[in-house]
């Protein structure tokens, strides 16, 4: 969930692994580099595709540890929210939701590549931090967090 401290935790873990002598690579949050206006279907598909590509690239490297700020499953929760908020009852809904389910199926097959998935709890104080990309709407944050309960929680391992 955005505003939960994932990036801070990822950097803390990076430092701990480096201090322990491990070679590692960090897949940073992809949404920050998206050239498309966030909150659109096009942006969410771009983010998902680039997240998957970044994770596959990381796996091709000769490193002992890979840390991902987010998983491909995380990005699908935001995508689903965009579909529900902007496409519902639109003639493109069936086409878009079929694409989402296709990405979901691919993501479910990908999730076992992670050794550990850590879910950070929603932190409403951090949600309000000065960050131009992070939505500060608590209702929105709670809704996306609920989607994490439904779709992501089963993969949490640590």
């Amino acid at each position: 969930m955005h505003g939960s401290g994932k990036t801070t935790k990822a950097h803390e873990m990076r430092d701990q692994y480096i201090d322990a002598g491990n070679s590692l690579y960090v897949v940073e949050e992809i949404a920050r580099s998206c050239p498309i206006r966030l909150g659109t279907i096009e942006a969410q598909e771009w983010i998902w595709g680039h997240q998957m590509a970044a994770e596959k690239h990381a796996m091709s490297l000769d490193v002992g540890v890979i840390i991902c700020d987010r998983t491909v499953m995380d990005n699908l929760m935001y995508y689903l929210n965009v579909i529900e908020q902007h496409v519902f009852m639109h003639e493109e809904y069936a086409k878009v939701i079929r694409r989402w389910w296709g990405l979901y199926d691919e993501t479910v097959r990908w999730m076992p590549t992670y050794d550990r998935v850590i879910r950070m709890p929603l932190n409403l104080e951090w949600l309000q931090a000065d960050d131009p990309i992070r939505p500060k709407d608590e209702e929105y944050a709670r809704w996306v967090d609920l989607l994490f309960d439904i779709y992501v929680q089963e993969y949490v391992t640590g």
Side-chain angles (χ1 to χ4, degrees), residues 45-98:
E45 289 183 0
W46 186 96
I47 293 166
W48 186 91
H50 282 75
Q51 177 76 33
M52 180 63 86
E55 291 184 24
K56 287 180 177 179
H57 168 73
M59 290 182 72
S60 75
L61 301 174
D62 185 23
V63 296
V65 177
I66 300 169
I67 298 173
C68 299
D69 189 302
R70 287 192 172 274
T71 70
V72 287
M73 187 65 82
D74 297 4
N75 291 303
L76 282 180
M77 299 310 97
Y78 289 92
Y79 187 175
L80 185 57
N81 184 67
V82 168
I83 292 170
E84 292 173 348
Q85 297 300 314
H86 302 288
V87 181
F88 191 74
M89 300 302 288
H90 187 274
E91 66 268 2
E92 293 291 312
Y93 179 78
K95 186 168 116 180
V96 171
I97 201 69
R98 275 194 306 274

Side-chain angles (χ1 to χ4, degrees), residues 3-68:
S4 64
K6 289 178 318 309
T7 301
T8 300
K9 180 57 77 180
H11 290 164
E12 288 173 1
M13 291 173 62
R14 174 201 63 205
D15 294 345
Q16 290 172 354
Y17 279 110
I18 288 172
D19 290 347
N22 292 285
S23 61
L24 66 91
Y25 182 82
V26 177
V27 177
E28 300 289 349
E29 184 177 6
I30 300 297
R32 293 187 182 279
S33 62
C34 183
I36 304 167
R37 184 178 60 83
L38 297 179
T40 65
I41 289 167
E42 294 80 11
Q44 292 310 131
E45 289 183 0
W46 186 96
I47 293 166
W48 186 91
H50 282 75
Q51 177 76 33
M52 180 63 86
E55 291 184 24
K56 287 180 177 179
H57 168 73
M59 290 182 72
S60 75
L61 301 174
D62 185 23
V63 296
V65 177
I66 300 169
I67 298 173
C68 299

